Amino acid sequence: SDWQEWDSATWDEVNSIVDEKVIDPCNTEDIPADRNVVDSKLVYKLKLNKDGTIDKYKARLVARGFTQIYGEDFEETFAPVTQLNTVRAVLALSLHYRLKPHHLDVKTAFLNSTLSHDIYIKLPPGITIGGKTHGKLLKSLYGLKQAARDWHKLQESFILGFDSRMKKSSVDPCLFTIVDGDMVAVVSTHVDDYIVATN
């Protein structure tokens, strides 16, 4: 009965992939014969409010990472996430120094990361981009084995490049700070979620 909601969520996701220029559509014959083609699928999730009512219908186009080939489609996959003790420390510092904490979330985060490998993808049945069922990935996609690593490298370079005073912690690679006179700012990253505390 709610197929229209799911259909709308599906095309919202496909449109965000087109808008972010994640895929360069191509025909099967445009893919080199010796290249692996990574499969993909749509994943659906019903997001609920605390009271159990429907918040939103969510669709996500994901690569089926298990169809990737090591050395051809990816190499390194490790990406750090912040430690729970770091989050506790940021919140404790916020209270002690009267910093204002904020929670931030990056929408379609992984779709912003560039790839270090040429990856060709087959779109799910019924989905086409520019009338084509295949494409070359220009940016990272959820489900790729290296997606979290690509995103971490991008966000780290962005945060450190945002302000020359920003320093990365030697204890937690997901903690960044500025302490300059009376100005204090702390950024703790966990994939695409952030706790930012500042005065």
Side-chain angles (χ1 to χ4, degrees), residues 12-199:
D12 283 349
E13 173 69 0
V14 171
N15 289 335
S16 72
I17 284 173
V18 170
D19 293 344
E20 294 291 331
K21 296 179 176 55
V22 176
I23 296 175
D24 182 18
C26 67
N27 293 313
T28 316
E29 56 270 17
D30 298 328
I31 300 172
D34 62 338
R35 291 309 311 238
N36 179 44
V37 177
V38 177
D39 201 9
S40 67
K41 70 176 187 174
L42 284 159
V43 176
Y44 295 99
K45 184 174 183 180
L46 194 59
K47 295 239 176 179
L48 302 176
N49 295 310
K50 289 180 184 178
D51 62 1
T53 58
I54 296 171
D55 178 30
K56 68 177 173 179
Y57 293 77
K58 181 138 181 81
R60 179 164 281 164
L61 178 67
V62 300
R64 300 177 81 190
F66 63 86
T67 63
Q68 288 182 265
I69 297 174
Y70 177 78
E72 183 179 332
D73 299 317
F74 73 98
E75 286 169 21
E76 297 293 326
T77 59
F78 171 77
V81 293
T82 196
Q83 302 169 38
L84 182 56
N85 285 341
T86 300
V87 174
R88 290 177 176 149
V90 169
L91 296 175
L93 288 169
S94 296
L95 288 170
H96 184 76
Y97 291 105
R98 292 188 163 91
L99 305 178
K100 292 182 182 175
H102 304 275
H103 171 258
L104 307 172
D105 177 70
V106 180
K107 187 177 179 184
T108 62
F110 286 12
L111 305 184
N112 292 290
S113 311
T114 54
L115 289 168
S116 55
H117 291 77
D118 288 340
I119 298 178
Y120 292 90
I121 193 165
K122 178 184 177 191
L123 296 170
I127 301 296
T128 61
I129 296 177
K132 301 186 178 178
T133 58
H134 289 73
K136 181 180 180 182
L137 289 179
L138 303 175
K139 296 183 181 176
S140 197
L141 188 67
Y142 294 95
L144 289 177
K145 289 183 178 287
Q146 70 269 40
R149 180 180 181 81
D150 290 341
W151 168 248
H152 175 75
K153 286 171 22 184
L154 176 68
Q155 76 175 350
E156 181 179 281
S157 67
F158 175 80
I159 291 170
L160 291 173
F162 182 74
D163 190 312
S164 61
R165 299 171 295 173
M166 189 71 76
K167 303 291 179 227
K168 183 167 88 166
S169 168
S170 59
V171 178
D172 187 330
C174 298
L175 180 67
F176 304 87
T177 58
I178 295 175
V179 179
D180 186 16
D182 292 337
M183 194 270 199
V184 177
V186 181
V187 179
S188 174
T189 69
H190 185 88
V191 190
D192 59 354
D193 284 294
Y194 303 87
I195 295 174
V196 179
T198 183
N199 60 355

